[in-house]
């Protein structure tokens, strides 16, 4: 039975989950969830996810939200091996550090910089532009001497960070 994925097509975190699912051969029952229409605030959605955020999955009654956690769950549940999310504690710690970097540093700076441009048509705030440079410098450091952000093998951190960076590129060229 396919997993229900409550998502927005243009959402980077949702896209990371869909890309990983394709890699793993996991099927989704896609349930587009419009924020502007208030789908995420409907009682049945809030009952399932009290934070009313997307992406959210329902895997046969197991409800989970937060894209980076969903990535880990999908690999642990449906992966054929641990290459995308290593079981070795040190390798996994580096992957987790990169995932936390994405959610706690890169993505928030991306949001402050680009969301007002995308959704409100505003000009970039110079303070947010300046603040966005530091996380990108960190990301460059992570890649020094590595093929991927957490070493020489692709991991779920690359799916998450890769989508954030690709959205950055898209929005840079849209301006």
């Amino acid at each position: 039975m396919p997993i229900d994925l409550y998502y927005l097509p243009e959402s980077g975190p949702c896209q990371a989950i869909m890309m990983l699912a394709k890699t793993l051969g996991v099927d989704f029952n896609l349930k587009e969830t419009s924020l502007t229409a208030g789908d995420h605030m409907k009682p049945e959605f809030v009952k399932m996810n009290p934070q009313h955020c997307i992406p959210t999955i329902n895997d046969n009654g197991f409800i989970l939200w937060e894209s980076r956690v969903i990535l880990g769950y999908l690999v642990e549940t449906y992966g054929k091996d641990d290459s995308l999310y290593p079981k070795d504690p040190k390798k996994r710690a580096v992957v987790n550090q990169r995932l936390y970097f994405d959610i706690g540093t890169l993505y928030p700076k991306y949001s402050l910089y680009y969301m007002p441009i995308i959704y409100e048509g505003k000009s970039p705030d110079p303070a947010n532009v300046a603040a966005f440079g530091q996380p990108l410098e960190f990301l460059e450091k992570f890649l020094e001497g590595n093929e991927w952000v957490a070493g020489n093998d692709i991991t779920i951190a690359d799916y998450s960070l890769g989508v954030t960076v690709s959205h950055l590129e898209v929005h840079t060229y849209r301006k």
Side-chain angles (χ1 to χ4, degrees), residues 7 36 65 71 94 145-146 149 152-153 159 169:
Y7 82 113
T36 56
W65 57 90
L71 292 171
V94 174
N146 294 314
V149 297
N152 290 320
D153 298 305
Y159 283 83
E169 290 294 316

Side-chain angles (χ1 to χ4, degrees), residues 26 35 56 77 86 93 103 127-128 133:
V26 171
L35 300 179
T56 296
T77 306
I103 194 171
N128 291 337

Side-chain angles (χ1 to χ4, degrees), residues 110-158:
Y110 159 81
S111 295
L112 285 172
Y113 186 156
Y114 284 102
M115 295 305 173
I117 298 167
I118 298 165
Y119 293 109
E120 300 169 29
K122 293 183 176 177
S123 296
D125 179 325
N128 291 337
V129 173
F132 194 65
Q134 186 181 37
L136 293 177
E137 290 173 18
F138 291 147
L139 187 55
E140 287 294 326
K141 290 282 186 199
F142 300 156
L143 289 165
E144 284 179 7
N146 294 314
E147 292 183 43
W148 301 95
V149 297
N152 290 320
D153 298 305
I154 191 169
T155 68
I156 60 174
D158 296 288

Side-chain angles (χ1 to χ4, degrees), residues 68-96:
R68 292 140 194 101
V69 174
I70 294 170
L71 292 171
Y73 169 77
L74 291 174
V75 169
E76 295 221 10
T77 306
Y78 299 101
K80 309 227 182 327
D81 58 41
D82 73 341
S83 63
L84 292 167
Y85 197 37
K87 294 205 184 305
D88 174 89
K90 290 179 181 175
K91 289 180 180 179
R92 182 169 282 206
V94 174
V95 172
N96 287 337

